Amino acid sequence: MPRQSKPKDLQKIAQERFGYDGLRPGQIAALQSILDGHDTLAVMPTGSGKSAIYQMAAYLMPGATVIVSPLVALQQDQVDSIAHHDVGEAALVNSTLNTAEREAAFSELEAGDLEFLFLAPEQFSNPETLDRLQAVSPSLFVIDEAHCISEWGHDFRPDYLRLNSVIHALGQPRILALTATAAPPVRTEIIDRLEMQNPKTIVQGFDRPNICLGVMRFEDDAEKQDSLLRWVSQAEKPGIVYVATRKRAESIAQALQEAGVNAIFYHGGMKGDDRHQAQTQFMEDQAEVIVATTAFGMGVDKANVRFVTHYDISSSIDSYYQEIGRAGRDGEPAKALLFYNPADLNIRRFFASGGQVDAEAVATVIDLVQQDEDGSIDPKELAEETDLSKSKIKAALNRLSDVGVVEALPTGEFAPAEQPPEKGEAIAAALEAQERQQKFERSRLEMMRGYAEVRNCRRQYLLNYFGEEYPQLCENCDNCKAGISHENTSDYQPFPIGNRVTHKEWGEGLVMRYEDDKVVVLFDQVGYKTLEVKRAVLFRLLTRVDQ
């Protein structure tokens, strides 16, 4: 049982043991939820102290704490942070450790000398990791940056989708999922994928009022690059420029250098030491601007970033809001500016189409599963038996897991289901599940396009996307400052924001926002859709679920 659980006691511990001035309401609510026995999802803005929640929960609960964290650099930052508080020892286990270092971490854990163990989801594929964690029966299982389950699990990091089987294998420890950005459907997927027990969701306000929002539209790439170079040269620094590709990160950084800006680049194709050096240069103000792909930024806590610009449009509002949240963490004025060319949407559509499997690939994997005699299916071995890539094999197995053909094991292997559906039915169901996911991803990109082209308050648009009502105008975005927002508001809102509605063809959904004479609905099956309000009412295309 926890040592303390009353809010006043939590505040006292935060001040006396951790040296905090005090806990914010969201931190208290999440802590209270965990200590009261709930699996908990905490959705709180960047810089709101999510790490303090698991650190305090671990201190108050007996037993070890396992933290799943996506990046080695982020894991190291978290270990270093814990070292500043007298709340227990912390270590990490990842692919950079040698055998002796790995053994030392597990030995400390088994001896009870280690409170926190950080690792990436792929580490559970090592049978030794799972065996040694099972031996200590951790009491708290934390998923930091939990939106990665939805953002990355469906394609290049499928190990996120089997964390539920890891949790079961560890004896169902209490689950704490933490993220800075998760729209309602992402929250639902996190809870469902982790199979949370008696779950409770804590959502704090998303608004970052000190960040000025803006979009500059272009129809020509050369004009867009020239404008970016001029804007960054004159902007208050330091700042971040996000781009879509590794090649562009290098070319834009070079162009900025030639324009007299102390700029560096960062992307996932660089050697680990080079990435670390680039990040250190930026964090220590040795470089004014870092031009990066989305490989940069997760867990980066630099208070004085004065701007975040996007040379290429993000794939979703979720990603965009997390990325611009790296600006102005000191509370001082900062800027978030998108350099938008509608043609840039094509590269995002191309990226979104990757990782798909066709009926033939699914059928091939089903045949191999049915031939299995060992009771366990190793994706690596299946890849060796076919001409399919390992990523295609994993994608097919994940789809087949969703429709009951196989079961994901905590080791990264799969087991045939006891009563799988008929082959033709399974193929159809797997492809249908894939198409639903693709529709949802396309609809999220459409919402990102909507942000770039919206003609009223941009902050209102963002917050409505996350399910937060924001009836006033922010007066700190380009549209509000230009007076455009005042011209594009409507009082006719027959379907209240946050209420459930149903559509004749698309089924049930959630009303997200209004814009001029249109309403945006997040449908459970087809994602985000925009409808004309008067047409929806006149032809009864939408009806309230509670009617």
Side-chain angles (χ1 to χ4, degrees), residues 308-381:
V308 172
T309 65
H310 282 73
Y311 186 79
D312 297 301
I313 196 166
S314 297
S315 59
S316 69
I317 297 290
D318 306 72
S319 298
Y320 184 71
Y321 202 66
Q322 181 168 29
E323 287 151 12
I324 67 172
R326 289 159 193 151
R329 293 192 182 185
D330 54 9
E332 297 299 314
K335 294 182 179 180
L337 185 60
L338 169 63
F339 288 75
Y340 173 58
N341 182 341
D344 295 341
L345 293 165
N346 292 330
I347 191 170
R348 290 301 179 190
R349 293 187 181 110
F350 173 77
F351 288 158
S353 66
Q356 295 188 66
V357 291
D358 57 22
E360 183 179 354
V362 175
T364 298
V365 173
I366 290 177
D367 290 339
L368 291 171
V369 167
Q370 291 176 339
Q371 295 168 15
D372 178 79
E373 297 178 353
D374 299 330
S376 64
I377 303 157
D378 187 337
K380 294 180 183 177
E381 293 179 1

Side-chain angles (χ1 to χ4, degrees), residues 454-473:
V454 70
R455 298 291 290 170
N456 59 13
C457 177
R458 294 195 196 277
R459 179 164 275 99
Q460 190 179 75
Y461 186 101
L462 290 176
L463 297 181
N464 287 171
Y465 176 88
F466 291 109
E468 186 173 324
E469 288 197 57
Y470 191 85
Q472 71 270 29
L473 301 176

